[in-house]
Amino acid sequence: MISKSYSITDARQIVVAADDQPRHVYLQIVGNSTVYVGGADVTSSLGVPYEKHSSPHTVFVPTNQTLYAVCATAVTETLRVLTPDLD
């Protein structure tokens, strides 16, 4: 497994890069703000919202797909991501 931590802002960023293998990844929000995830067009209006939770959220990322994250305007949140090391 590979653990990473991201500082998510209102600027969309990649949190899980595309791979030639499908995988389940785990997301955990550290603070109390909402993080929105989705594709390259993710915004706080279009993304799937994730909020702080005591256990990680499981997300399935299909083959050759990328997962992006963003917060609302003027918000910064820490997002921890755990991905399998398939290579």
Side-chain angles (χ1 to χ4, degrees):
M1 300 295 282
I2 299 171
S3 301
K4 292 188 179 180
S5 181
Y6 297 91
S7 182
I8 306 300
T9 65
D10 57 357
R12 178 177 48 244
Q13 65 179 297
I14 295 173
V15 294
V16 179
D19 198 335
D20 61 355
Q21 298 284 329
R23 60 239 132 109
H24 285 92
V25 300
Y26 303 93
L27 308 177
Q28 184 179 35
I29 311 304
V30 176
N32 293 316
S33 298
T34 302
V35 173
Y36 303 87
V37 299
D41 60 347
V42 70
T43 65
S44 58
S45 299
L46 296 174
V48 176
Y50 286 92
E51 297 176 336
K52 185 173 184 173
H53 192 269
S54 60
S55 61
H57 302 280
T58 304
V59 177
F60 178 73
V61 181
T63 303
N64 297 321
Q65 298 296 307
T66 302
L67 188 66
Y68 292 79
V70 68
C71 279
T73 302
V75 174
T76 300
E77 183 58 79
T78 301
L79 174 67
R80 293 180 182 152
V81 180
L82 184 62
T83 59
D85 184 7
L86 300 174
D87 295 326

